[in-house]
Amino acid sequence: MELDLSSPHFPAARSRREFLRQAGGGFGALAASWLLSQERLLLGAEPVADPLAPRSPHFAPQAKRVIYLFMHGGPSHLETFDPKPDLQRLSGQPLPASFGVVETRRKVAANPMLATKRTFRKYGQSGIEVSDFLPHTARCVDDVAVIRSCWADSVNHPQAVYQMNTGSVLMGKPCLGSWVGYGLGTENQDLPAFVVLPDPGGGIKGGPPAYGSGFLPASYQGTNVRSGASPILDLRPAEAAAVDGQRRTLDLIGRLNQIHREGREEDSELSARIQAYELAYRMQSAAPDAVDLARESAETRTLYGLDERTTAEFGTRCLLARRLVERGVRFVQLYSGDVAGWDAHEDVEENHARMCARTDKPVAGLLTDLKRRGLLESTLVIWGGEFGRMPMSEGGRGRDHNPHGFSVWMAGGGIKGGTVHGATDAVGLRAEVDRVHVHDIHATILHLLGLDHTQLTFSHNGRDERLTDTAGKVVTSILA
């Protein structure tokens, strides 16, 4: 189609330079309109809802943010936080009939009991017993509440990972971090509300749905941040001059997206994509500083084990977690363990010696660093996996999955340090005293963040869904 500049719709013929200047001014007006609407300043315009805007909790919170240290594969409570003298005494013998029928995955119920080779000692003023696998964490027990009576519903990894992360054994439910972002938003509009730091060795069993947003709007999906030289890919523009051009491009895309969005308000994927463009742009200024560890002192790097080959990788991610929460990221989930991780079927001693050596010093460094910076009292730190391990042996040296009884600990953010809640039976098979289901763990975490787990709901397919389904009670004994 040929443009007729002699048309009455055009003023007198202009030069090419004048035409481009006028057209550029029009694009500038579109950009200004989009920016104003983003700031909700455009008079008479429908405000653009920011799904991650800070929101008030149901009541005064004791924690403002969470770091969840997820030990993927199922760490053995019997080798870490739950000493069992009777297990040592019964080693090599069959499980006594008084324990009844045991649900196992590999028919290990008939196998002989397996004693641990670990030595447990009392630490701190609280005298909590911790295995010699974890000498660094043991020195922090006065800040920790150990829940020794946890239990879950699935003996299989994917379903158990889903439940511990989303409250359900079924794929497709929103995870804890997404619920927290939905309930509270983010403290820093230039960074995501929910960040995931995956293990570089490989994905978790069950895959990304474990940290997905499920039926919640897609804006609450976890943002992956890696360790290494480039924690966030394509974070920096090719050259400084490209920033202005990128801003103009995004302004135009944003305005066009808003036009396209009219009448499609229920399309959360579209809304999330619009927000993602803007967040990605803002992150170019905020995120480089957040992930730059070069400014950390040599003492801090040593504290996290960055100067040791065994601990450097996990220590780097623990340090990243601290830097992210101190800059306003609401929820950081850090995974330890590749596809196998803590899954000690063949040799629990070898597996846990390796995994504890990688993680113990960085975890203790994180707790110490948060405390000395005044962040621990407002940051809830959680340690645990999807289940524990069986007291019976597997293949003579390993342990099978045990969802019937295992340990999780919490520290900081409203937790009563130096506390032990509940107990498993005499050999660590089942949670027996003051049992704590996964729903109870989630209810407690939300409570510490100022959220009533029964009121944090989202309407989906005609039903008000919640993280804790129809169950869950707050574990009050571990609250400060």
Side-chain angles (χ1 to χ4, degrees):
M1 178 178 177
E2 187 174 343
L3 183 65
D4 183 7
L5 295 181
S6 65
S7 166
H9 295 292
F10 286 86
R14 299 173 184 266
S15 70
R16 181 181 301 172
R17 181 174 299 173
E18 289 172 321
F19 174 79
L20 291 175
R21 185 185 301 117
Q22 186 173 12
F27 285 118
L30 284 175
S33 175
W34 166 247
L35 288 173
L36 289 171
S37 67
Q38 283 293 94
E39 297 297 329
R40 302 179 182 181
L41 297 175
L42 189 58
L43 185 61
E46 185 70 23
V48 177
D50 181 358
L52 295 177
R55 283 181 285 281
S56 299
H58 297 136
F59 46 84
Q62 293 174 284
K64 294 182 179 179
R65 58 198 75 87
V66 175
I67 297 176
Y68 193 159
L69 307 170
F70 196 94
M71 306 295 111
H72 175 241
S76 171
H77 53 300
L78 303 170
E79 266 73 30
T80 52
F81 295 101
D82 197 1
K84 291 297 175 185
D86 282 3
L87 178 61
Q88 304 300 96
R89 179 176 58 84
L90 295 170
S91 182
Q93 302 178 35
L95 180 71
S98 59
F99 285 88
V101 178
V102 182
E103 179 189 354
T104 64
R105 191 169 142 272
R106 301 192 178 189
K107 299 181 180 180
V108 301
N111 292 355
M113 309 291 278
L114 177 65
T116 181
K117 295 180 180 180
R118 297 298 96 212
T119 298
F120 282 78
R121 287 179 48 206
K122 293 182 178 181
Y123 289 86
Q125 293 182 348
S126 57
I128 295 177
E129 291 181 278
V130 181
S131 153
D132 57 3
F133 263 154
L134 300 167
H136 298 282
T137 303
R139 290 194 286 270
C140 301
V141 291
D142 286 341
D143 295 314
V144 167
V146 181
I147 307 174
R148 287 179 173 162
S149 55
C150 299
W151 64 284
D153 295 317
S154 179
V155 75
N156 295 312
H157 283 291
Q159 292 89 342
V161 168
Y162 291 148
Q163 185 173 42
M164 189 55 75
N165 280 274
T166 74
S168 172
V169 297
L170 302 176
M171 180 192 296
K173 302 287 186 176
C175 71
L176 175 60
S178 294
W179 277 111
V180 171
Y182 166 67
L184 296 175
T186 182
E187 293 181 296
N188 186 340
Q189 294 300 298
D190 296 335
L191 291 170
F194 173 27
V195 168
V196 179
L197 299 170
D199 192 295
I204 59 174
K205 293 175 181 177
Y211 48 82
S213 56
F215 49 71
L216 289 177
S219 297
Y220 303 111
Q221 167 75 34
T223 298
N224 274 22
V225 173
R226 312 175 308 164
S227 58
S230 301
I232 302 174
L233 295 177
D234 304 317
L235 182 60
R236 300 178 186 274
E239 55 187 63
V243 175
D244 291 338
Q246 183 188 31
R247 178 68 265 173
R248 290 193 298 270
T249 300
L250 289 177
D251 291 340
L252 177 59
I253 291 173
R255 181 58 180 165
L256 295 175
N257 279 339
Q258 283 300 111
I259 295 172
H260 181 65
R261 185 175 178 268
E262 293 177 4
R264 299 178 175 87
E265 287 78 7
E266 299 303 317
D267 187 349
S268 72
E269 295 287 343
L270 176 59
S271 298
R273 193 171 295 116
I274 295 173
Q275 294 291 336
Y277 277 119
E278 288 301 311
L279 177 59
Y281 178 80
R282 296 194 302 270
M283 283 175 65
Q284 289 178 157
S285 60
D289 173 69
V291 301
D292 182 8
L293 306 186
R295 301 181 185 181
E296 297 290 344
S297 68
E299 184 273 337
T300 297
R301 297 170 68 88
T302 298
L303 179 67
Y304 284 84
L306 269 61
D307 55 349
E308 300 175 31
R309 181 177 180 180
T310 301
T311 54
E313 191 285 316
F314 192 76
T316 296
R317 287 190 286 136
C318 283
L319 183 51
L320 276 173
R322 189 221 80 202
R323 292 179 65 86
L324 289 168
V325 297
E326 72 181 342
R327 286 162 174 77
V329 174
R330 186 75 71 179
F331 196 103
V332 178
Q333 187 155 25
L334 199 162
Y335 284 90
S336 162
D338 53 17
V339 176
W342 296 73
D343 198 16
H345 288 287
E346 296 181 359
D347 188 336
V348 67
E349 182 72 13
E350 183 280 328
N351 176 278
H352 278 36
R354 174 165 37 87
M355 300 306 294
C356 288
R358 292 178 183 176
T359 60
D360 178 40
K361 185 176 183 178
V363 169
L366 174 63
L367 292 176
T368 302
D369 201 17
L370 289 171
K371 188 174 183 178
R372 70 184 184 180
R373 291 170 181 268
L375 288 169
L376 187 59
E377 62 185 19
S378 59
T379 304
L380 176 63
V381 181
I382 308 159
W383 183 100
E386 63 266 39
F387 41 51
R389 314 304 297 189
M390 286 287 179
M392 297 78 74
S393 73
E394 180 176 6
R397 294 183 298 179
R399 297 193 190 276
D400 196 10
H401 310 166
N402 183 5
H404 313 300
F406 58 97
S407 297
V408 167
W409 63 252
M410 301 184 191
I415 289 295
K416 185 192 298 182
T419 303
V420 173
H421 174 93
T424 52
D425 57 32
V427 296
L429 175 60
R430 298 185 180 95
E432 188 172 73
V433 179
D434 295 330
R435 288 155 51 87
V436 175
H437 187 263
V438 174
H439 291 322
D440 305 326
I441 295 173
H442 290 163
T444 304
I445 294 168
L446 293 180
H447 176 85
L448 290 165
L449 290 165
L451 296 170
D452 182 340
H453 72 103
T454 67
Q455 298 299 314
L456 184 65
T457 62
F458 185 85
S459 180
H460 176 63
N461 290 338
R463 183 176 187 263
D464 283 344
E465 298 278 357
R466 72 187 208 204
L467 173 64
T468 53
D469 195 35
T470 60
K473 61 181 183 297
V474 176
V475 184
T476 57
S477 70
I478 67 171
L479 304 185

